[in-house]
């Protein structure tokens, strides 16, 4: 009993290709919408830049991920 299973799967469509295109389209529409929203409300947002910069500092420290860079002490084993 020898069954050829390759012929059954050749007609199946790849659902991941269509979902990737949909996700890409949604991201692009979001970026375009964000650009126009920023453009229209720039005068309101420009006054908050110093506060956003100060808010970014603790977030960068929180998400920096200390410990992934190896030893910075210069201990290469040579004396």
């Amino acid at each position: 009993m020898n069954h050829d299973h390759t012929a059954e799967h050749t007609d199946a469509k790849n659902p991941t290709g269509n979902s990737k295109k949909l996700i890409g389209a949604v991201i692009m529409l979001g970026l375009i919408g964000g650009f126009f929203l920023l453009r229209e409300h720039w005068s309101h947002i420009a006054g908050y830049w110093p506060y956003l910069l100060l808010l970014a500092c603790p977030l960068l420290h929180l998400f920096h991920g200390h410990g992934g860079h190896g030893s910075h002490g210069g201990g290469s084993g040579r004396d």
Side-chain angles (χ1 to χ4, degrees):
M1 241 174 136
N2 190 5
H3 297 287
D4 187 17
H5 293 287
T6 58
E8 295 174 12
H9 298 291
T10 56
D11 294 334
K13 292 186 179 182
N14 188 5
T16 58
N18 289 335
S19 64
K20 286 182 182 180
K21 289 179 183 178
L22 180 65
I23 291 171
V26 169
I27 290 172
M28 290 306 295
L29 285 174
L31 288 173
I32 292 169
F35 169 76
F36 283 113
L37 187 68
L38 261 172
R39 189 172 172 224
E40 289 295 320
H41 297 285
W42 184 252
S43 62
H44 305 292
I45 296 170
Y48 293 113
W49 283 117
Y51 303 112
L52 292 174
L53 182 64
L54 289 174
L55 179 65
C57 291
L59 290 175
L60 285 174
H61 283 283
L62 183 66
F63 293 114
H64 182 257
H66 300 283
H69 302 287
S71 175
H72 293 290
S76 62
R78 288 189 226 161
D79 288 331

